[in-house]
Amino acid sequence: MDVGGSLLSQILLETITPVVMVLPTPLVEEACQKNNLNFVQILRPFCFYDKIDVPVRTASDQPYRLQKFKLRMFYASEIHQPRIESAEEHLRQVVDNASEKAFAELQGNPQQLEVVQKMAESESLSSWLQVYNKEFIHTLSFSEHEAFDHPIACLLVVSSKDENPVNKFVDLFNTDLLPSLLNEGAMDPKILKHYVLIHDNEDGPADKANEILLEMKGTFGPHDCRLLCINSLQSNEEIIPEDIWTPFVSSSLADNSSSDHVLGLCFNRNDLEQINEFMQEFSVKNIIPYMEQKIRSLNQQVSATRKGLKNQFKNLWWHKGKDETADVSNGSIYTFSSIESQIRILGDYAFMLRDYELALSNYRLLSSDYKIDKAWKRYAGVQEMIGLSLFMLDQSRKEAEYSLETAFTTYQKIGASGQRYATRCALWWSELHKARGQFKEAANVYFRISSEEPSLRAGILLEQAAYCYLRANPRMLRKFGFHLVLAGNRYTICGQRKHAIRAYMCVLPVFEGDGWNYIRDHVHFNLGRWYAVLGKSELAIQHLIRLLACSHQSAVTQEMFLGDFLRVFQSVGKKYEMLKLKLPAINTTSLRIHFEDHRTYASATAILLPEKTWQYLEEGLVPSTSPTSSNWLDSAARSSSKSLKGKDSNICIAGEAINVELEFKNPLHIPIEISAVSLICDFIPEMMLEKIGVGHHGEKEIGSEIAVSNHSIDEEGNISDRGASSLVLSEEAFSLKGGQSMMVHLKVTPKMEGFLQIVGVKWVLSQTVTGRYDFTSQLPKKKRVKGKSNDSTEYPSHQRLKFFVLKHLSRLEGTIHRMPVKTNVGELHRLVLELSNQSCETIKNMKLKISHPRFLMVGELEDLDAEFPACLETKKNKRVHAGCVIEDDSDVKTKSSNTIFTFPKDISIEGESTLLWPLWLHTGEAGMISLSMSIYYEMQTPSEYMNYRVMRMHYNVQVVPSLDISVHITPCPSRLQEFLLHLDIRNYNSSESFWLRQISSVGKQWKLASLKPSLLDIKETEDESDSNAVNSAYLSASVCPSQLLPAGQALSLFFRLMNPSERSSVSDLTSTNCQLFGTVDLILAVEQQDEACKLSLGDLSDAQRISSHHICHCSVINDCPIWWIMEGPKTVIHDFSSPSFCEIKFYLTIKNCSNMSISVSVETSDNESVVDQTSDTPQASAARNQVGWYDISLETDEMGKVKEGPGQGASSIIPSNEFSELQTAVPCSPFMWFALSSTNIKQLGPQSSVTLPLSLSAFAPGVYDLSNYKLLWTLHQDKIDPHMKLDVRSTASTDEHDRLEISSLNIQNEASTFSGYGTGGTYSGIALGHPFILTVLQSTCSKSQTFGS
């Protein structure tokens, strides 16, 4: 806890400080009164030092530095405790002065709770509550049982005009002028004396004064004498402007006089500097050293007599005889020379010099003595100082609170003489809690002592307790309001109505919420009554008005409140409008003002849209008024704004009505009558604008001095009732039942050019009170944007109530036909925009901007007559961007919000004609879409102040989900140039079905095809010359055959994704890999059909509903960095009679798809047998897992063809019984890899490929799965070698057919970053072989045949 920064610490540093007694002569006071000050008042501003930095050494040898120091200056006649009656009268005067100031600051407005809390949290010594506490503590000064108010030094002040000044010094310090406590023996008369000689420079030079000073030094010593020259201001010098004495003017109880004269009018700066230097030297060189010496001497005396084991036993024996003595509450048996008084002086001196450890030890030593002696007043005072010392040391918080509580209860036990000291102790105690953040405990202390005090002090204590509850965490608002109401009640008892009003006004924010209605009514009733007593009838009515809207009260009470209010209003004797009449209640949030200037609206929904939304949409569409603009439209706009003399005012057109919507409500249970409801408007004709001097920005309120009724100003500048000739106002009258609400529509239509301002609304309640509600009074004033020029002034929304009325202008009306209220995601609609010109002038230069150009696009004019959906076809050599012509000739911008469609120059709308234009609506996401459109147009004969107008249109479209499409693209395992496209489509619409008509890819890079159909008439043995016919056959097939997707169901589609520019050869792999694939965008076209199979594919009509779904940025799902493919024959026919095995050639092509070098190891395995047999017996199943080769001869028929028996097909080659016999006969694999059993590619460069030859020997016919091989790959992070290295381990010699064919591409020198590297900078994995089925058949001829390579 920061003790030094707490308020209690500041109070102690202000209160418990050394006291200096002043004894001046009358001539000294006479010289000082020339400045309207006495001598003590002159010195007080120079008694406080914030940064004195003086070394101090008390009882210990370790010195410390004193940073702050203060002296209290008093005349000898003031050093006494005043009587209780005079003290209470002085405190009452302090409260009266504070009430006047607080009541003047209140001005009838309730205090905001945040303001009250901020005031309570920023509590300082200058607050009136702390001033009262300080003055209360001051009334208890100069008591006999405390030494910190006893004077430490005495200033003897003599004028140079006094006769025999040296003798005067001696005569001043006599028993007649000294305080009574000093004469009675309670104070030590041996104090420090300092002699000051005052010379008035108005009496002449200071030569005589210097001679007297030399005599003084010879008599009293050179260090205790000082000469001060005052009143040195010359006639040619100016009076010091700073008033440093007003805060320090004496507020003592002996002198309550105040002066309004100028203070210090004879001082110059040299006098002030001389006084400041004297006081600082007096404090540093006299007061502090004297206190140090006094502490050291007293400490030695106390240590010799009271400390130590021997002295403790002696003191105990000496106090034994005092146990049966009577209570000594006043402590009169102790004189200044007693050891107890000396210990108290030692503790108080140490406390004033900030040596709290020494002070605490002496207070504790003294406490036991006073308790044994039953000197309860002195005992309580010592306990009080123990608690304060512990607080300043920030030690033993519980002991500090216990000591203060002990002092408090002891003071209360004494009786009436100790009650005021108990209150002072309670103030210390509560401030201690507040310094530690214990506001609830502090409030309890305030409340505890308030019950023992008179009403005035009790009210002040209760108010401080309320503020503590407000500062508690969390805030205790109920107790805050309760205690503040109690304080106001106490203020009322003692006649402090202004403080009571202030307390109740602070309580109002607490009870403004729901649940406190009856308490709030009580507060307003008392406030109204007190204000009426004080003669503040207007303020009383303001509080009585608040009782009118008391819907929680009974009907009888409401009728009584209304009758009382009407009687008080009639007693005022004035007829004026009540601005805050709450009957009926007006819903300000319902206020809507609809007008049209250059902005016109095509529908009611467009009016309700926020203005910021339109402003953002119309950026770039409407000419800018910035100074940097240079085109003629912007120049005209700037000149128009300058001519209108009111950038904060709106513009309306003559003859176009301004509509105002406002809701009225009756909050009572009784009916009320409302009549003569109309708008309050002020209008000035155009010719009178300059004459009445309406300033720029509308700063002058034109109706401020006009009566309530609507008036206008005639050509001579006089007020006249010709509002009917310039304005057309509607008037309403109605009655409201209990609790009834009604939306009232009011209109004002200007009939000529000029300036119009809507001030508010007025009505008459019960044919008695005229209520008025000013719209402008409820809105904030205009403010400027910090850091911007004057042209960037932001005006509040209430300025829209001012209008410059222009002459009649052309107005464009529009609508969109076929705009759906509800549509599906992806559904395409052709809309028609109809623009109508009802005026007689031509509208030209039209431009259009849409808030969502991605959903709503502008078509071309020929789309109106084109057949749907044929008009959707994209023509070649035609540049289209969302159907819009870009205003800028630069490239098409990708930001759709900046797209502006400009109608052709030759298109205009003549008077009383219509223009139709096509629009396209295509929604891509579900939800509620707000479509806004602004159409800019210009008139043929524009106004001087308006060159263009903008028509605003707005529609809300609900978009419901239709199809959910997910795409999966994987590499084709059989072809390196192709990918497999898998579409999962789900219909989320519960009521509609969809025909899937077409799927296509965007651009020319990729081509879609369905899976290759089976062409029975094309043989597998055709050569390469016939391959083009095969490709054409399946490429010409339908990409997406029409399929019906019913509501709530799903289906899957499969396609091939090919690069049409690539050849089918596998040698060039550079452009088809997972790293260079990128992304592909797909479009799915569907037809929405409610009845299945209603129309065929070619029966699309204009009435049909077409949808398109875009799937963008589809990429390949593949985590393996290599691609590979095995090529070779799929079917081999061989005669195993000679030779007994068949050798088959294969080629394995491997490509590195990453940007790093890679090592690949290929491992083949012979552990594989026939993949399908006809028998499922356990013996056959076991045989599949056996290794071995066998011979088989196929039965043939008479024609030499293979004979197929029952249950024996293409995959049933060997009978199960024979297979079992062969397995048991020959334990060998039916096929075997040879030549290369394991191949290692040590370093394959990025984007490089390699082809490896493989050989296989089959020893028996059958169907074999050759996918039992593995590719072990490892990515390297280090730089790669530009030359690829191969390490081939062979089990047999290879011929020319077995050599490696390697095509190397450009190899990068550095490997790119790859996630998942291990500690060695590599990332490895295993890839299993692709499925490859080889069929080996027995041939009757000796020549082997291969198919499907």
Side-chain angles (χ1 to χ4, degrees):
M1 180 182 66
D2 185 14
V3 176
S6 62
L7 182 61
L8 178 57
S9 174
Q10 299 178 23
I11 295 175
L12 294 176
L13 295 179
E14 286 277 339
T15 305
I16 305 179
T17 57
V19 175
V20 177
M21 182 174 60
V22 180
L23 292 172
T25 61
L27 291 178
V28 173
E29 293 296 337
E30 181 182 349
C32 295
Q33 285 298 328
K34 296 180 180 180
N35 300 279
N36 298 317
L37 298 167
N38 57 34
F39 183 73
V40 172
Q41 292 173 349
I42 292 174
L43 297 183
R44 278 178 179 168
F46 307 97
C47 293
F48 180 76
Y49 306 98
D50 192 16
K51 298 180 181 179
I52 190 171
D53 196 16
V54 177
V56 177
R57 185 174 65 86
T58 55
S60 63
D61 295 333
Q62 186 67 27
Y64 61 93
R65 306 198 71 84
L66 195 65
Q67 301 296 333
K68 295 182 180 180
F69 191 73
K70 181 185 177 181
L71 294 177
R72 290 183 290 163
M73 311 293 292
F74 295 99
Y75 287 115
S77 58
E78 297 176 342
I79 301 179
H80 66 89
Q81 196 169 85
R83 295 180 303 170
I84 296 178
E85 294 78 9
S86 59
E88 293 296 335
E89 183 62 29
H90 172 70
L91 294 175
R92 179 179 292 275
Q93 186 63 35
V94 173
V95 175
D96 291 339
N97 296 335
S99 68
E100 294 293 338
K101 182 179 179 182
F103 189 76
E105 293 178 353
L106 194 62
Q107 295 180 352
N109 298 321
Q111 290 281 9
Q112 297 295 330
L113 193 59
E114 291 75 11
V115 176
V116 177
Q117 184 175 3
K118 186 177 180 181
M119 180 190 66
E121 291 176 352
S122 62
E123 187 178 19
S124 62
L125 295 176
S126 60
S127 63
W128 82 270
L129 291 173
Q130 291 300 327
V131 171
Y132 177 86
N133 294 340
K134 179 181 177 182
E135 293 299 327
F136 173 75
I137 294 172
H138 179 58
T139 60
L140 301 177
S141 301
F142 309 115
S143 61
E144 74 282 352
H145 70 288
E146 296 170 334
F148 50 75
D149 288 326
H150 297 177
I152 293 176
C154 179
L155 276 182
L156 303 172
V157 188
V158 176
S159 175
S160 60
K161 296 170 59 177
D162 285 321
E163 296 181 1
N164 199 357
V166 177
N167 294 333
K168 284 287 184 180
F169 284 117
V170 178
D171 296 338
L172 285 176
F173 200 80
N174 56 49
T175 57
D176 297 335
L177 300 177
L178 296 179
S180 59
L181 290 178
L182 194 143
N183 295 327
E184 294 172 358
M187 297 181 182
D188 189 0
K190 296 180 181 180
I191 59 177
L192 175 67
K193 300 181 183 64
H194 201 79
Y195 306 92
V196 180
L197 180 65
I198 299 297
H199 175 70
D200 190 351
N201 283 331
E202 293 184 356
D203 298 334
D207 298 337
K208 182 181 177 181
N210 291 327
E211 295 177 0
I212 299 174
L213 179 63
L214 293 176
E215 185 180 357
M216 291 168 53
K217 290 182 178 181
T219 304
F220 306 111
H223 300 293
D224 297 330
C225 301
R226 182 62 186 257
L227 172 64
L228 285 180
C229 297
I230 61 175
N231 301 335
S232 303
L233 185 68
Q234 301 297 326
S235 59
N236 56 352
E237 295 180 351
E238 296 182 358
I239 301 176
I240 299 175
E242 297 88 0
D243 185 8
I244 61 175
W245 290 279
T246 299
F248 300 94
V249 170
S250 176
S251 59
S252 64
L253 304 181
D255 184 14
N256 286 330
S257 61
S258 60
S259 177
D260 296 333
H261 300 289
V262 180
L263 305 179
L265 52 87
C266 295
F267 287 142
N268 60 8
R269 297 195 179 275
N270 292 331
D271 294 341
L272 301 183
E273 292 176 0
Q274 188 179 10
I275 296 173
N276 185 31
E277 181 182 357
F278 159 67
M279 292 302 300
Q280 188 170 0
E281 290 181 358
F282 178 61
S283 301
V284 175
K285 297 182 179 180
N286 296 91
I287 298 294
I288 296 178
Y290 173 77
M291 296 179 68
E292 291 177 336
Q293 182 182 0
K294 188 75 172 178
I295 289 173
R296 289 194 291 269
S297 62
L298 291 175
N299 186 61
Q300 292 177 2
Q301 180 182 352
V302 172
S303 299
T305 57
R306 297 299 305 275
K307 296 182 180 180
L309 184 60
K310 178 182 178 180
N311 292 328
Q312 290 180 5
F313 278 111
K314 182 180 178 180
N315 183 60
L316 180 63
W317 179 264
W318 182 74
H319 281 88
K320 263 190 175 184
K322 297 185 177 182
D323 292 341
E324 302 299 330
T325 59
D327 292 354
V328 185
S329 60
N330 55 5
S332 59
I333 64 173
Y334 301 101
T335 61
F336 73 90
S337 60
S338 63
I339 186 62
E340 289 84 1
S341 298
Q342 296 297 315
I343 296 175
R344 177 64 194 243
I345 293 174
L346 175 59
D348 289 347
Y349 276 33
F351 192 94
M352 289 186 288
L353 286 183
R354 317 290 191 269
D355 192 353
Y356 302 112
E357 291 282 356
L358 180 60
L360 180 61
S361 63
N362 286 278
Y363 290 144
R364 285 174 172 171
L365 181 64
L366 190 60
S367 175
S368 60
D369 294 346
Y370 286 148
K371 187 174 182 180
I372 294 174
D373 294 343
K374 297 183 180 180
W376 300 119
K377 188 174 183 180
R378 292 178 178 269
Y379 172 74
V382 171
Q383 288 293 327
E384 191 176 1
M385 295 306 298
I386 289 175
L388 296 179
S389 299
L390 290 171
F391 169 77
M392 298 301 293
L393 290 171
D394 196 16
Q395 297 178 359
S396 184
R397 298 186 177 185
K398 291 185 178 180
E399 184 181 355
E401 296 177 8
Y402 175 77
S403 299
L404 290 175
E405 186 176 7
T406 302
F408 175 76
T409 55
T410 305
Y411 277 133
Q412 284 188 325
K413 289 179 181 179
I414 296 174
S417 61
Q419 181 58 43
R420 299 170 75 236
Y421 288 100
T423 302
R424 183 189 68 176
C425 182
L427 294 178
W428 301 134
W429 192 8
S430 60
E431 290 295 338
L432 183 143
H433 284 303
K434 288 160 66 175
R436 295 172 178 172
Q438 301 170 346
F439 296 102
K440 182 179 178 181
E441 290 77 5
N444 293 333
V445 175
Y446 281 126
F447 184 78
R448 181 177 176 181
I449 194 59
S450 64
S451 60
E452 305 293 336
E453 290 291 341
S455 295
L456 180 59
R457 192 173 301 120
I460 294 175
L461 294 173
L462 287 171
E463 184 175 356
Q464 296 184 72
Y467 293 150
C468 290
Y469 284 122
L470 184 61
R471 297 179 63 185
N473 188 16
R475 297 189 303 181
M476 307 174 73
L477 296 181
R478 293 173 56 188
K479 289 192 174 183
F480 163 74
F482 173 73
H483 285 77
L484 207 54
V485 168
L486 291 179
N489 186 35
R490 289 298 187 100
Y491 287 143
T492 306
I493 294 174
C494 61
Q496 296 289 337
R497 286 193 180 90
K498 295 181 179 179
H499 276 295
I501 291 176
R502 180 183 53 79
Y504 270 46
M505 295 292 278
C506 294
V507 167
L508 275 179
V510 179
F511 302 129
E512 286 296 335
D514 297 335
W516 305 100
N517 298 327
Y518 295 95
I519 302 178
R520 183 174 64 248
D521 293 344
H522 164 77
V523 172
H524 282 300
F525 172 73
N526 284 278
L527 287 173
R529 183 183 60 177
W530 293 333
Y531 274 125
V533 172
L534 295 175
K536 303 289 185 179
S537 300
E538 292 80 3
L539 297 177
I541 291 176
Q542 289 182 7
H543 290 280
L544 293 176
I545 283 180
R546 295 177 177 267
L547 299 176
L548 299 181
C550 52
S551 58
H552 54 278
Q553 298 285 1
S554 63
V556 176
T557 305
Q558 293 174 357
E559 205 167 327
M560 180 187 66
F561 284 162
L562 180 59
D564 291 343
F565 166 73
L566 294 177
R567 284 192 296 269
V568 173
F569 180 79
Q570 292 174 356
S571 65
V572 175
K574 297 180 181 179
K575 292 184 179 181
Y576 57 92
E577 296 176 348
M578 302 301 300
L579 293 177
K580 295 184 179 179
L581 184 62
K582 294 189 175 181
L583 280 181
I586 296 179
N587 185 7
T588 55
T589 59
S590 66
L591 176 63
R592 294 291 183 270
I593 300 180
H594 307 303
F595 66 96
E596 294 183 348
D597 46 11
H598 68 282
R599 301 160 295 185
T600 62
Y601 300 91
S603 61
T605 57
I607 298 176
L608 299 178
L609 207 62
E611 180 63 24
K612 290 184 178 180
T613 304
W614 291 114
Q615 291 178 358
Y616 177 77
L617 174 62
E618 294 167 3
E619 289 181 359
L621 180 69
V622 177
S624 174
T625 58
S626 60
T628 56
S629 301
S630 58
N631 57 66
W632 69 272
L633 285 175
D634 296 344
S635 301
R638 292 198 302 270
S639 63
S640 301
S641 176
K642 183 177 180 181
S643 301
L644 285 177
K645 298 183 179 180
K647 296 187 297 182
D648 60 337
S649 301
N650 292 316
I651 300 175
C652 65
I653 309 302
E656 297 182 3
I658 301 174
N659 299 298
V660 178
E661 296 180 0
L662 194 61
E663 184 183 17
F664 289 77
K665 181 180 180 180
N666 179 15
L668 304 181
H669 302 304
I670 57 177
I672 57 175
E673 295 292 333
I674 308 297
S675 59
V677 182
S678 64
L679 294 174
I680 302 175
C681 302
D682 292 317
F683 182 77
I684 304 176
E686 183 183 14
M687 62 184 67
M688 297 303 302
L689 289 178
E690 295 293 339
K691 188 172 182 179
I692 66 172
V694 177
H696 291 277
H697 315 301
E699 295 174 354
K700 180 178 179 181
E701 298 293 338
I702 62 175
S704 58
E705 62 276 340
I706 303 179
V708 175
S709 59
N710 297 284
H711 297 282
S712 61
I713 301 178
D714 57 15
E715 299 179 359
E716 297 180 359
N718 301 320
I719 300 175
S720 62
D721 295 330
R722 35 170 269 173
S725 62
S726 57
L727 299 176
V728 178
L729 293 167
S730 62
E731 187 171 308
E732 301 291 337
F734 51 89
S735 62
L736 295 175
K737 298 180 180 180
Q740 182 182 0
S741 299
M742 180 180 294
M743 183 67 72
V744 180
H745 299 270
L746 303 174
K747 293 183 180 181
V748 55
T749 305
K751 300 172 64 176
M752 62 177 64
E753 299 179 55
F755 185 86
L756 171 66
Q757 180 178 359
I758 302 177
V759 179
V761 63
K762 65 175 183 176
W763 68 94
V764 178
L765 173 64
S766 299
Q767 304 296 326
T768 303
V769 182
T770 300
R772 171 175 175 168
Y773 189 90
D774 286 347
F775 301 142
T776 55
S777 63
Q778 305 299 322
L779 299 174
K781 294 183 178 180
K782 63 184 180 181
K783 58 183 179 179
R784 295 185 182 274
V785 180
K786 185 177 180 182
K788 293 187 179 182
S789 61
N790 296 336
D791 294 337
S792 299
T793 304
E794 293 184 359
Y795 298 95
S797 58
H798 79 275
Q799 295 294 342
R800 59 195 174 109
L801 303 174
K802 299 179 181 179
F803 298 88
F804 279 97
V805 184
L806 305 182
K807 67 177 183 178
H808 178 73
L809 295 175
S810 300
R811 186 178 184 275
L812 184 65
E813 298 180 359
T815 184
I816 298 179
H817 299 286
R818 302 178 186 174
M819 174 64 73
V821 179
K822 183 177 180 181
T823 184
N824 293 321
V825 173
E827 187 174 356
L828 185 63
H829 297 269
R830 180 169 62 175
L831 312 177
V832 178
L833 172 64
E834 180 182 353
L835 301 177
S836 176
N837 180 12
Q838 300 297 332
S839 63
C840 299
E841 297 182 355
T842 303
I843 292 177
K844 59 181 181 177
N845 297 335
M846 294 181 296
K847 293 185 292 183
L848 182 148
K849 190 174 181 181
I850 303 172
S851 61
H852 295 79
R854 188 162 60 97
F855 300 148
L856 185 61
M857 295 157 283
V858 182
E860 298 180 355
L861 190 58
E862 54 268 20
D863 293 344
L864 287 175
D865 302 327
E867 184 180 357
F868 184 86
C871 59
L872 299 177
E873 296 181 0
T874 303
K875 301 178 181 179
K876 296 182 178 180
N877 301 326
K878 182 178 179 180
R879 176 185 169 189
V880 178
H881 178 66
C884 301
V885 179
I886 306 303
E887 194 173 32
D888 190 4
D889 292 334
S890 60
D891 294 339
V892 176
K893 299 180 181 179
T894 60
K895 188 177 181 181
S896 60
S897 61
N898 289 336
T899 302
I900 298 176
F901 174 77
T902 302
F903 287 86
K905 295 293 183 180
D906 56 345
I907 292 182
S908 61
I909 305 178
E910 301 293 336
E912 299 181 356
S913 61
T914 302
L915 173 66
L916 301 179
W917 200 271
L919 300 176
W920 294 97
L921 176 64
H922 180 263
T923 56
E925 55 188 26
M928 184 62 70
I929 299 179
S930 176
L931 296 176
S932 302
M933 179 189 301
S934 293
I935 300 178
Y936 169 91
Y937 61 94
E938 298 175 5
M939 292 74 71
Q940 185 175 10
T941 57
S943 171
E944 180 183 359
Y945 307 114
M946 188 180 297
N947 299 318
Y948 63 88
R949 301 190 81 173
V950 178
M951 183 185 66
R952 296 172 172 179
M953 308 177 69
H954 178 261
Y955 295 90
N956 290 320
V957 179
Q958 182 184 3
V959 184
V960 297
S962 57
L963 298 182
D964 180 69
I965 306 172
S966 61
V967 178
H968 301 278
I969 302 178
T970 56
C972 181
S974 60
R975 294 179 179 271
L976 293 182
Q977 291 84 5
E978 296 181 3
F979 300 87
L980 296 181
L981 176 63
H982 176 199
L983 294 179
D984 289 329
I985 307 174
R986 178 177 294 274
N987 184 3
Y988 281 106
N989 197 309
S990 59
S991 60
E992 296 186 16
S993 302
F994 296 92
W995 278 99
L996 307 182
R997 294 302 189 185
Q998 180 183 358
I999 184 170
S1000 59
S1001 63
V1002 179
K1004 300 180 179 180
Q1005 182 179 3
W1006 300 100
K1007 186 171 183 178
L1008 281 173
S1010 60
L1011 293 180
K1012 187 174 181 180
S1014 58
L1015 302 178
L1016 300 178
D1017 55 341
I1018 301 177
K1019 297 181 179 180
E1020 296 289 345
T1021 57
E1022 288 180 342
D1023 54 8
E1024 185 178 358
S1025 61
D1026 296 333
S1027 62
N1028 293 332
V1030 177
N1031 294 333
S1032 300
Y1034 83 86
L1035 287 179
S1036 61
S1038 177
V1039 175
C1040 182
S1042 296
Q1043 298 189 40
L1044 179 65
L1045 181 58
Q1049 298 189 14
L1051 58 81
S1052 298
L1053 300 177
F1054 299 90
F1055 304 94
R1056 285 184 177 183
L1057 187 63
M1058 304 176 297
N1059 191 333
S1061 61
E1062 296 295 331
R1063 298 171 55 194
S1064 59
S1065 174
V1066 297
S1067 59
D1068 188 4
L1069 303 175
T1070 60
S1071 61
T1072 309
N1073 56 75
C1074 60
Q1075 297 293 331
L1076 299 181
F1077 175 82
T1079 60
V1080 62
D1081 299 335
L1082 304 175
I1083 300 177
L1084 176 63
V1086 301
E1087 176 189 353
Q1088 298 175 211
Q1089 188 66 42
D1090 297 335
E1091 299 179 6
C1093 303
K1094 182 178 180 181
L1095 296 174
S1096 62
L1097 181 62
D1099 293 335
L1100 295 177
S1101 64
D1102 195 16
Q1104 285 184 305
R1105 300 167 61 188
I1106 302 300
S1107 300
S1108 63
H1109 298 268
H1110 299 254
I1111 310 99
C1112 302
H1113 308 293
C1114 305
S1115 58
V1116 177
I1117 303 176
N1118 189 16
D1119 295 332
C1120 185
I1122 60 174
W1123 276 13
W1124 71 96
I1125 186 172
M1126 178 182 288
E1127 295 179 310
K1130 299 295 182 65
T1131 303
V1132 176
I1133 301 176
H1134 180 74
D1135 184 9
F1136 287 93
S1137 60
S1138 177
S1140 61
F1141 66 92
C1142 176
E1143 181 180 355
I1144 308 170
K1145 299 293 184 180
F1146 296 93
Y1147 294 93
L1148 181 65
T1149 303
I1150 304 173
K1151 176 174 176 56
N1152 180 8
C1153 300
S1154 67
N1155 294 326
M1156 290 172 281
S1157 60
I1158 191 171
S1159 299
V1160 183
S1161 176
V1162 182
E1163 294 184 0
T1164 59
S1165 174
D1166 298 335
N1167 188 10
E1168 186 61 45
S1169 61
V1170 184
V1171 299
D1172 190 13
Q1173 300 293 342
T1174 58
S1175 177
D1176 289 333
T1177 60
Q1179 293 82 3
S1181 300
R1184 292 190 186 104
N1185 298 325
Q1186 308 232 345
V1187 177
W1189 69 279
Y1190 51 90
D1191 190 9
I1192 186 171
S1193 60
L1194 299 179
E1195 296 183 5
T1196 58
D1197 53 10
E1198 298 177 355
M1199 301 298 296
K1201 296 183 180 181
V1202 179
K1203 183 178 180 180
E1204 295 183 0
Q1208 187 177 15
S1211 60
S1212 180
I1213 305 301
I1214 311 170
S1216 59
N1217 54 354
E1218 298 178 6
F1219 181 79
S1220 301
E1221 294 175 359
L1222 293 174
Q1223 291 294 321
T1224 57
V1226 185
C1228 185
S1229 174
F1231 71 91
M1232 180 178 297
W1233 295 96
F1234 68 97
L1236 295 178
S1237 62
S1238 177
T1239 302
N1240 290 334
I1241 306 174
K1242 291 187 176 180
Q1243 204 170 55
L1244 183 62
Q1247 308 300 328
S1248 301
S1249 61
V1250 62
T1251 301
L1252 302 178
L1254 300 175
S1255 296
L1256 179 142
S1257 294
F1259 303 101
V1263 180
Y1264 305 113
D1265 184 4
L1266 304 184
S1267 61
N1268 194 16
Y1269 64 92
K1270 296 184 294 184
L1271 285 80
L1272 288 74
W1273 53 268
T1274 303
L1275 286 174
H1276 298 283
Q1277 190 179 11
D1278 300 330
K1279 294 183 178 180
I1280 62 173
D1281 190 356
H1283 302 287
M1284 184 179 61
K1285 300 178 181 179
L1286 292 179
D1287 180 17
V1288 180
R1289 297 192 299 271
S1290 176
T1291 57
S1293 61
T1294 59
D1295 55 7
E1296 293 182 0
H1297 298 286
D1298 299 331
R1299 66 176 180 271
L1300 299 178
E1301 298 180 3
I1302 302 171
S1303 60
S1304 178
L1305 302 176
N1306 296 329
I1307 301 176
Q1308 299 180 2
N1309 293 328
E1310 295 185 5
S1312 60
T1313 306
F1314 193 89
S1315 60
Y1317 282 103
T1319 56
T1322 60
Y1323 182 61
S1324 60
I1326 300 176
L1328 301 178
H1330 296 314
F1332 193 97
I1333 304 299
L1334 174 65
T1335 303
V1336 181
L1337 301 176
Q1338 175 66 34
S1339 175
T1340 57
C1341 60
S1342 60
K1343 183 179 180 180
S1344 298
Q1345 300 181 24
T1346 61
F1347 302 96
S1349 59

